[in-house]
Amino acid sequence: AKRLQSLGANCSIVVDNMHDEANLQYGGLYERLYIVLNDVIAFAGERGPVGYRVEEVEQWLKNYRS
């Protein structure tokens, strides 16, 4: 989240805490990286953790800012 924030993203960045409370409350089965733009999922990454490709998120954000 800090890496994404350092890119200057002009959006909310939401993460679960170290106690996994959001996962426990909402029963998230798989972890994914998402970008939500105007209440619409603009980017949905592959299932994590093996499907995490932070570089894809970074590239999407760079292209969006341009």
Side-chain angles (χ1 to χ4, degrees):
K2 286 181 182 179
R3 183 174 176 193
L4 291 174
Q5 193 173 32
S6 73
L7 295 173
N10 188 18
C11 61
S12 299
I13 299 172
V14 183
V15 297
D16 202 351
N17 63 29
M18 295 303 289
H19 300 288
D20 206 22
E21 290 178 23
N23 182 45
L24 294 173
Q25 290 290 320
Y26 298 101
L29 297 176
Y30 302 103
E31 299 170 347
R32 292 181 187 246
L33 299 173
Y34 288 97
I35 296 173
V36 180
L37 180 62
N38 299 324
D39 298 325
V40 175
I41 296 173
F43 174 88
E46 298 296 323
R47 284 198 230 177
V50 295
Y52 284 168
R53 291 182 181 79
V54 175
E55 302 80 22
E56 290 178 355
V57 174
E58 183 177 357
Q59 189 60 49
W60 192 99
L61 292 171
K62 284 181 181 177
N63 289 339
Y64 178 74
R65 284 184 22 200
S66 300

